[in-house]
Amino acid sequence: MSIIQTIVTSLFHGHSVKTDPMPDFNLERYLGEWHEIARLENWFERGLRKVLARYDHGENGTISVTNSGYDVRTGERKEAHAKAVVGDAPNHLKVYFVPLVYGRYEVAFLDEDYSRAVVSGGSLNYLWLLARTPQLRDEELQPMLHCAEELGYDTSQLIYSNSLASTDNGIGRDL
């Protein structure tokens, strides 16, 4: 681990979360567009709603990452680009928004048809619930919440991305 990575990890990560490897994880099936259903608030997505993540084949075997969302203050869509590489397991990625410093991206839950995923950022500070559709039924969401709780996350702190309010846990008007 580089000195920069060590500093960033110590500054931004809380208690470490390690997800189990998924030997049968199929990156090809995972690629494409994902809607953020919910997340723990973090500094780089603060104030964003209707967040989308897109994963595609990148150059030299990398994965191209595009994250975007509406800024509730300005109404403008913001976009960030990154590259990712597979880490120590097929479902563990290293995402680089800046060179030499990566964020952990570990798929902890994935349904059989690759339509819902729970992603850990490697600590109790970073969690995302993703789906191929912008909304889920309660019976689709519950297994995802259970997975997050089993990993140690406080799901009462989740922010639901399709809502305008910043801490309303999903109650609010759509954009």
Side-chain angles (χ1 to χ4, degrees):
M1 185 180 295
S2 73
I3 293 173
I4 294 172
Q5 182 66 38
T6 302
I7 292 168
V8 170
T9 300
S10 65
L11 290 175
F12 297 113
H13 288 276
H15 292 91
S16 182
V17 173
K18 186 67 175 158
T19 63
D20 292 332
M22 293 179 181
D24 296 333
F25 180 82
N26 183 327
L27 183 59
E28 283 296 315
R29 290 185 66 195
Y30 192 79
L31 296 177
E33 187 171 87
W34 290 89
H35 296 265
E36 180 183 276
I37 301 300
R39 71 168 182 271
L40 290 178
E41 185 66 282
N42 57 65
W43 61 273
F44 51 88
E45 285 184 291
R46 186 160 285 123
L48 294 183
R49 296 294 176 267
K50 300 251 181 184
V51 176
L52 294 173
R54 176 136 193 106
Y55 307 97
D56 294 298
H57 289 287
E59 298 175 4
N60 302 321
T62 64
I63 301 156
S64 170
V65 179
T66 302
N67 291 339
S68 63
Y70 285 100
D71 186 322
V72 295
R73 294 173 304 270
T74 65
E76 295 177 10
R77 190 140 188 93
K78 294 191 172 187
E79 201 170 88
H81 300 277
K83 289 185 180 182
V85 297
V86 175
D88 60 355
N91 58 308
H92 296 175
L93 302 177
K94 296 177 179 181
V95 180
Y96 294 86
F97 283 95
V98 295
L100 305 176
V101 180
Y102 68 86
R104 287 171 50 191
Y105 182 104
E106 299 180 359
V107 180
F109 168 92
L110 189 61
D111 63 353
E112 287 183 21
D113 64 357
Y114 282 64
S115 65
R116 294 175 291 140
V118 173
V119 176
S120 168
S123 83
L124 292 178
N125 295 332
Y126 302 102
L127 175 71
W128 296 270
L129 278 57
L130 307 175
R132 299 290 187 177
T133 60
Q135 296 180 346
L136 294 176
R137 294 184 314 272
D138 188 57
E139 62 268 17
E140 294 171 314
L141 182 61
Q142 288 308 314
M144 299 168 74
L145 293 172
H146 179 73
C147 172
E149 290 164 356
E150 288 289 310
L151 290 170
Y153 288 99
D154 180 358
T155 59
S156 71
Q157 299 301 308
L158 287 171
I159 294 169
Y160 290 80
S161 185
N162 287 322
S163 170
L164 274 177
S166 61
T167 59
D168 64 7
N169 288 327
I171 302 168
R173 66 180 180 87
D174 284 339
L175 286 169

